[in-house]
C-alpha cells in the first residue's frame, strides 16, 4: 500500500494481504522428499537429503521450495519424512501481487502445520521465505511481501532492524469510507526483469556507501541533501533520484498508517497519490528501459488518472516495471472504473479486492 522499495533499505512499509489465496491439500509421504503439484503445472520433487543451494535451480520454483525447507531446518524446524501437496491458487502470476511470496509462505506454513503444530512464528516464516528468494532463487527482494502474506491483515512494518522487524496491525474498514481497493493487471510479463529489480537496491546501497553506510535508512537525509554533488559523481543521477524517493516514501509509509489510525482517510488518499508520483518520477520503476514500447503500467496509471477525476487515486503496485497498478476507488464509481480499465487491458483485468484478515493458516 505504501513503502515502494523501502524494505530492502531497512525502511518502513504499509502492506496488506488480500482475498486471493494459494491453498494446498497436503499429506505425509515418508519418502524424505517434498512433492508439489500445482494446478496447471508439472510435478516438482525436492530431495530433503540435500538442501544446499543449486545454481542449476536458480529462478525456479524448486529453488523456492528447497530454500524454505533449508531455512526452516537451520532454525531447528526440520521437514522430517517429507510431504506431498496439491496446490491451487487464484493469485495472479507475474503481476506484482506477490505470487512468489505467497507460494514461499505456503510452503513454510505447510511445514509448520504438518510437523510443528503451527508453532513457527509467521514473521520467522516470512524471513525464511525471503532467504529462499534471495539465496536460492536469486532475486534480491526485501521482506515486505513475505511478511504481509504470512502475518495477514493491514500491517505497518518497520525494518530498521530486519532481524527483528516491528509489525503492527492497522485497524481500518475501507467499506466504512465507501471506497474499494482495485488492482488492475496490465498483462505485462515479469520475466527477464530480475536485473531491473536488482538495480534499485544496488543503486540505493551505492548512494549509502558514499556516507560509509550499508543502507539508506542509516543515512541522515539533511546530510544527503548537502552532499548530492558527491553522490552524483560516485553513484550516478538515478541513484540520487531513487534515494530521494526512499527518504520521502519512508516517511509516507508512517504517515499513511497514522492517517488511517486517526480516521483521516482524505489525507491517506493524498499520500497514496504522492507515493505514485514519487515512484514514477524518482524511483522510476514503471517500465523497463529494455523495451520502452511496452509500458502497460504507465498506460494504466495515465488512463486511471484520466477516468477517476476525483473519484479515487492510483499508483504503481508491487515491484513495478510490469504487472499491476493499485487504485482506491469510490464504491459508486467502481463499475465505471472497471469497465474502462477492462476495455484497455482485457476483460477481467480489474480486480476488486478486500483486505484478508488472516495470514498463513491451517484450515482443518
Amino acid at each position: 500500500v505504501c513503502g515502494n522499495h523501502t524494505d530492502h533499505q531497512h525502511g518502513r512499509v504499509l502492506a496488506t494481504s488480500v482475498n486471493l489465496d494459494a491453498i494446498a491439500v497436503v499429506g505425509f509421504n515418508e519418502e524424505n522428499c517434498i512433492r508439489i503439484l500445482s494446478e496447471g503445472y508439472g510435478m516438482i520433487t525436492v530431495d530433503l537429503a540435500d538442501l544446499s543451494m543449486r545454481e542449476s535451480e536458480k529462478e525456479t520454483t524448486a529453488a523456492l521450495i528447497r530454500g524454505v525447507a533449508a531455512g526452516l531446518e537451520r532454525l531447528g524446524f526440520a521437514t522430517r519424512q517429507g510431504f506431498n501437496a496439491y496446490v491451487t491458487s487464484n493469485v495472479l502470476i507475474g503481476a506484482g501481487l506477490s505470487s512468489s511470496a505467497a507460494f514461499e509462505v505456503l510452503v513454510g506454513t505447510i511445514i509448520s502445520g504438518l510437523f510443528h503444530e503451527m508453532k513457527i512464528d509467521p514473521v520467522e516464516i516470512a524471513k525464511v521465505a525471503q532467504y529462499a528468494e534471495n539465496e536460492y532463487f536469486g532475486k534480491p527482494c526485501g521482506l515486505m511481501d513475505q511478511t504481509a502474506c504470512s502475518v495477514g491483515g493491514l500491517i505497518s512494518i518497520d525494518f530498521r532492524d530486519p532481524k527483528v522487524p516491528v509489525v503492527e496491525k492497522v485497524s481500518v474498514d475501507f467499506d466504512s469510507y465507501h471506497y474499494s481497493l482495485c488492482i488492475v493487471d496490465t498483462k505485462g510479463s515479469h520475466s527477464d526483469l530480475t536485473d531491473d529489480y536488482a538495480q534499485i537496491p544496488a543503486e540505493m546501497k551505492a548512494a549509502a556507501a558514499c556516507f560509509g553506510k550499508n543502507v539508506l535508512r542509516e543515512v541522515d537525509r539533511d546530510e544527503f541533501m548537502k552532499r548530492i554533488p558527491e553522490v552524483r559523481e560516485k553513484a550516478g543521477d538515478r541513484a540520487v533520484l531513487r534515494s530521494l524517493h526512499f527518504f520521502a516514501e519512508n516517511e509516507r509509509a508512517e504517515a499513511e498508517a497514522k492517517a488511517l489510525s486517526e480516521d483521516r482517510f482524505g489525507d491517506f488518499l493524498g499520500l497514496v497519490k504522492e507515493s505514485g508520483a514519487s515512484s514514477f518520477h524518482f524511483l522510476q520503476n514503471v517500465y523497463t528501459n529494455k523495451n520502452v514500447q511496452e509500458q502497460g503500467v504507465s498506460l494504466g496509471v495515465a488512463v486511471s488518472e484520466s477516468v477517476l477525476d476525483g473519484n479515487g487515486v492510483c499508483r504503481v503496485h508491487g515491484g513495478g516495471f510490469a504487472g499491476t497498478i493499485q487504485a482506491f476507488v469510490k464504491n459508486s464509481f467502481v463499475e465505471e472504473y472497471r469497465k474502462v480499465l477492462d476495455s484497455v487491458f482485457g476483460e477481467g483485468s480489474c480486480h476488486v479486492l478486500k483486505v484478508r484478515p488472516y495470514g498463513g493458516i491451517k484450515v482443518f
Side-chain angles (χ1 to χ4, degrees), residues 243-274:
S243 299
L244 293 175
H245 164 81
F246 167 80
F247 290 122
E249 187 79 349
N250 193 46
E251 293 181 355
R252 257 191 301 270
E254 183 179 33
E256 282 193 19
K258 187 175 182 181
L260 289 173
S261 297
E262 295 177 354
D263 199 27
R264 293 183 287 108
F265 195 70
D267 291 344
F268 165 76
L269 293 176
L271 290 163
V272 171
K273 189 172 183 178
E274 286 180 18

Side-chain angles (χ1 to χ4, degrees), residues 93-105:
I93 304 297
L97 280 178
S98 311
S99 57
S100 59
F103 182 80
E104 295 150 15
V105 168

Side-chain angles (χ1 to χ4, degrees), residues 96-340:
L97 280 178
S98 311
S99 57
S100 59
F103 182 80
E104 295 150 15
V105 168
L106 176 63
V107 174
T109 303
I110 290 171
I111 294 171
S112 180
L114 274 185
F115 306 109
H116 302 287
E117 300 178 335
M118 288 298 291
K119 291 182 179 178
I120 306 178
D121 183 82
V123 175
E124 288 300 324
I125 291 176
K127 289 192 284 188
V128 166
Q130 181 201 23
Y131 166 77
E133 193 154 346
N134 289 175
E135 303 300 328
Y136 280 65
F137 187 86
K139 180 178 177 180
C141 68
L143 187 56
M144 175 180 67
D145 292 354
Q146 290 82 356
T147 305
C149 289
S150 192
V151 175
L154 184 67
I155 53 175
S156 173
I157 317 170
D158 190 336
F159 292 110
R160 181 183 290 277
D161 181 354
K163 294 182 180 179
V164 190
V166 178
V167 180
E168 298 179 346
K169 292 274 189 176
V170 180
S171 179
V172 62
D173 177 11
F174 288 113
D175 284 339
S176 68
Y177 298 108
H178 308 294
Y179 270 77
S180 293
L181 169 60
C182 297
I183 297 294
V184 180
D185 182 5
T186 67
K187 307 298 174 68
S189 172
H190 275 241
S191 62
D192 299 323
L193 293 177
T194 298
D195 287 346
D196 292 278
Y197 295 124
Q199 285 173 10
I200 294 178
E203 290 179 10
M204 288 183 177
K205 288 178 179 179
C210 296
F211 300 83
K213 304 297 184 181
N214 294 318
V215 292
L216 286 172
R217 185 66 181 272
E218 300 170 350
V219 177
D220 180 78
R221 183 179 188 173
D222 292 338
E223 184 67 16
F224 183 93
M225 297 300 294
K226 292 176 184 176
R227 295 171 57 183
I228 283 180
E230 175 190 342
V231 182
R232 290 184 68 193
E233 182 178 350
K234 292 182 177 179
D237 285 353
R238 191 169 67 172
V240 172
L241 291 168
R242 285 175 163 171
S243 299
L244 293 175
H245 164 81
F246 167 80
F247 290 122
E249 187 79 349
N250 193 46
E251 293 181 355
R252 257 191 301 270
E254 183 179 33
E256 282 193 19
K258 187 175 182 181
L260 289 173
S261 297
E262 295 177 354
D263 199 27
R264 293 183 287 108
F265 195 70
D267 291 344
F268 165 76
L269 293 176
L271 290 163
V272 171
K273 189 172 183 178
E274 286 180 18
S275 176
S278 180
S279 297
F280 207 134
H281 300 149
F282 306 129
L283 182 62
Q284 298 178 27
N285 70 328
V286 290
Y287 64 91
T288 174
N289 291 326
K290 297 172 185 173
N291 183 7
V292 296
Q293 291 305 318
E294 184 177 317
Q295 296 195 38
V297 173
S298 309
L299 180 60
V301 169
V303 171
S304 293
E305 290 183 347
S306 175
V307 70
L308 286 172
D309 191 27
N311 290 293
V313 295
C314 68
R315 65 190 284 273
V316 57
H317 179 74
F321 299 109
T324 58
I325 63 170
Q326 170 195 125
F328 289 94
V329 183
K330 287 181 180 178
N331 288 344
S332 59
F333 198 74
V334 164
E335 286 309 313
E336 177 65 23
Y337 179 73
R338 191 209 301 262
K339 179 181 176 181
V340 174

